[in-house]
């Protein structure tokens, strides 16, 4: 079945550092890929989506590019801020299949 | 703006008791989902629904039932609550498989 793998369980950075959170997927079809962010005490929020190969999704300075060849959708941000501290989830949606979320990556940014 | 609401926001239940968690969306979405999140862990899909009066089993359906009486409402039912079901439960809605999900604020359930 479909699956999503996030390599990093936790990432600790300082403000203005470059962020990469790795996301790889496995799907039988041609899925849509998503990034969500969850702040403490809240439900996950949609960040952005990409639905075809080489498409870049972006929001709030975060971006990721759909790469069908490497089955990846890595989240990047050039300069993180303390307010970016949260848990980030990669997810996929595929036709007639249940949605799949990665295990999440907790980002901690110190000032 | 799209809205998913959950009730109650917090609940303490006794082992063996019946618990019903409710979710209401005003997004006009056909798809709805129930997830559980354990402290420090990710989201696990319990049940979902593509259309009113129909539900599907997710990855961890054991011990849970779901009910979708209308497009707007989706309930999660624990007939015999157990300690292991202590968790935060999130409801979500979406337009479809390729669309983003809108999550509710969550219900914190404690089973004693």
């Amino acid at each position: 079945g479909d699956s999503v793998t996030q390599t990093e369980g936790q990432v600790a950075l300082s403000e203005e550092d470059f962020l990469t959170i790795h996301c790889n997927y496995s799907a039988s079809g041609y899925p849509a890929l998503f990034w969500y962010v969850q702040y403490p005490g809240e439900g996950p929020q949609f960040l952005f989506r990409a639905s075809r190969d080489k498409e870049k999704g972006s929001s709030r300075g975060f971006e990721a590019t759909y790469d069908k060849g490497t089955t990846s959708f890595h989240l990047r941000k050039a300069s993180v801020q303390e307010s970016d501290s949260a848990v980030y989830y990669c997810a996929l949606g595929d036709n007639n299949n249940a949605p799949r979320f990665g295990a999440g990556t907790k980002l901690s940014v110190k000032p | 703006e799209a809205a998913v609401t959950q009730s109650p926001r917090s609940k303490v239940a006794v082992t063996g008791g019946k618990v019903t968690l409710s979710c209401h969306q005003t997004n006009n979405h056909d798809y709805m989902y129930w997830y559980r999140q354990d402290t420090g862990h990710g989201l696990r899909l319990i049940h979902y629904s593509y259309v009113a009066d129909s539900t599907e089993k997710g990855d961890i359906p054991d011990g849970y039932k779901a009910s979708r009486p209308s497009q707007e409402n989706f309930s999660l039912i624990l007939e015999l609550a157990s300690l292991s079901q202590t968790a935060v439960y999130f409801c979500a809605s979406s337009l479809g498989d390729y669309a983003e999900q809108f999550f509710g604020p969550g219900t914190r359930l404690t089973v004693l």
Side-chain angles (χ1 to χ4, degrees):
Chain A
D2 294 356
S3 66
V4 176
T5 302
Q6 291 180 235
T7 308
E8 300 89 357
Q10 297 189 62
V11 173
L13 297 173
S14 298
E15 280 194 331
E16 300 184 11
D17 280 351
F18 189 93
L19 168 70
T20 300
I21 297 177
H22 294 94
C23 172
N24 288 89
Y25 71 91
S26 173
S28 55
Y30 204 138
L33 301 174
F34 306 85
W35 277 102
Y36 291 83
V37 59
Q38 184 178 25
Y39 299 101
E42 298 181 8
Q45 300 174 23
F46 169 70
L47 202 50
F48 58 81
R49 175 185 71 171
S51 55
R52 57 186 181 275
D53 193 23
K54 301 297 185 278
E55 180 181 0
K56 179 191 286 188
S58 64
S59 176
R60 310 183 207 176
F62 293 90
E63 63 179 39
T65 300
Y66 193 133
D67 190 329
K68 201 168 188 297
T70 59
T71 60
S72 66
F73 193 54
H74 305 317
L75 182 68
R76 306 183 197 279
K77 187 175 185 183
S79 176
V80 295
Q81 302 301 311
E82 188 178 7
S83 58
D84 294 326
S85 296
V87 178
Y88 293 81
Y89 291 97
C90 183
L92 72 79
D94 200 2
N95 191 37
N96 292 326
N97 286 310
R100 288 281 166 254
F101 279 77
T105 299
K106 182 176 182 180
L107 171 64
S108 300
V109 180
K110 58 184 180 183
Chain B
E1 184 167 323
V4 179
T5 55
Q6 296 183 232
S7 62
R9 291 295 313 280
S10 180
K11 170 97 178 157
V12 178
V14 294
T15 304
K18 182 176 181 178
V19 176
T20 299
L21 307 183
S22 299
C23 178
H24 179 79
Q25 54 104 352
T26 58
N27 301 331
N28 200 30
H29 289 167
D30 284 330
Y31 290 49
M32 295 188 74
Y33 313 86
W34 275 108
Y35 296 90
R36 71 174 276 173
Q37 184 174 52
D38 296 276
T39 303
H41 290 79
L43 299 162
R44 291 188 287 172
L45 183 65
I46 307 171
H47 286 287
Y48 58 107
S49 170
Y50 295 129
V51 68
D53 294 323
S54 179
T55 63
E56 308 289 335
K57 293 181 179 180
D59 298 318
I60 54 164
D62 293 346
Y64 303 94
K65 291 173 60 176
S67 174
R68 181 91 184 271
S70 64
Q71 184 194 47
E72 299 81 12
N73 297 293
F74 193 34
S75 297
L76 186 69
I77 303 142
L78 291 65
E79 296 277 5
L80 295 169
S82 67
L83 294 173
S84 64
Q85 293 176 313
T86 293
V88 178
Y89 292 84
F90 290 101
C91 175
S93 74
S94 77
L95 276 172
D97 291 324
Y98 297 108
E100 63 270 26
Q101 295 183 35
F102 293 86
F103 283 81
T107 294
R108 181 173 297 277
L109 175 65
T110 303
V111 183
L112 302 176

